[in-house]
Amino acid sequence: MTAIKKSYYIKSRDFIRAGEASIKIQSLLKSLSFDPQLIRRVAICGYEGEMNVVMHGGDGSLSFAINADELVMEISDDGPGIVDIEKAMQAGFSTALDEHREMGFGAGMGLPNMKKNADDIMVESEEGHGTRVRLVFLVNKGGDDG
Ligand SMILES: Nc1ncnc2c1ncn2[C@@H]1O[C@H](COP(=O)(O)OP(=O)(O)O)[C@@H](O)[C@H]1O
Ligand SMILES: [Mg+2]
């Protein structure tokens, strides 16, 4: 059963509003008293995902579902897609343009950080048909150390 579902539009190349969806998710999780460490991991993944849509992708969305035992975040866009997903997942790999690097982006650590911070990550992409990243975060109830 899904208790709460949210979806936010992400506009490609809109560096002004980039990151807003992740901030909203972060506030929502705070208001529901989720573990701060879990919120931090979700926020990192959301931010990196949003930035990738804004920088590399096309228009897209970030959707988020809170289920009883897991949080599921899906970031998808209708941009050019990722040619080599395995390569894109490697630390330091980036196709960011100079103009992105000048803004401080393009370290090639976004996808590796998402992988590190989520309990599960699935990247689907087809050249010319966009990208979809699905992240799962397990919710450990009852204070066991997970
Ligand atoms: N939504 C996307 N659409 C197209 N390409 C993407 C997308 N997300 C990531 N990529 C590709 O994967 C590479 C690595 O992404 P990432 O690890 O976040 O590093 P960075 O964003 O700093 O380049 C990007 O440089 C880009 O080539
Ligand atoms: Mg990135």
Side-chain angles (χ1 to χ4, degrees), residues 4-10 20-22 24-25 28 60-66 72-76:
I4 298 176
K5 263 187 169 169
K6 296 277 175 193
S7 186
Y8 304 97
Y9 175 67
I10 306 171
E20 282 187 2
S22 324
K24 283 180 183 148
I25 300 288
L28 172 69
S61 66
L62 183 155
S63 66
F64 190 71
I66 301 178
V72 182
M73 183 184 271
E74 267 187 34
I75 300 145
S76 54

Side-chain angles (χ1 to χ4, degrees), residues 48 51-52 55-56 106 108-111:
E48 293 291 358
M51 285 318 306
N52 279 352
M55 232 188 313
H56 313 291
M109 290 308 293
L111 286 169

Side-chain angles (χ1 to χ4, degrees), residues 3 8 19 21-22 25 29 33 40 46-47 60 68 72 85 90 92-93 98-101 105 125-126 128 133-134 139:
Y8 304 97
S22 324
I25 300 288
L29 293 178
S33 302
R40 197 180 127 76
Y47 179 74
V72 182
I85 294 175
Q90 286 171 12
F93 176 82
D98 285 345
E99 63 186 86
H100 299 144
R101 294 176 198 276
F105 302 115
S125 185
E126 203 187 324
V133 180
R134 186 175 189 271
V139 179

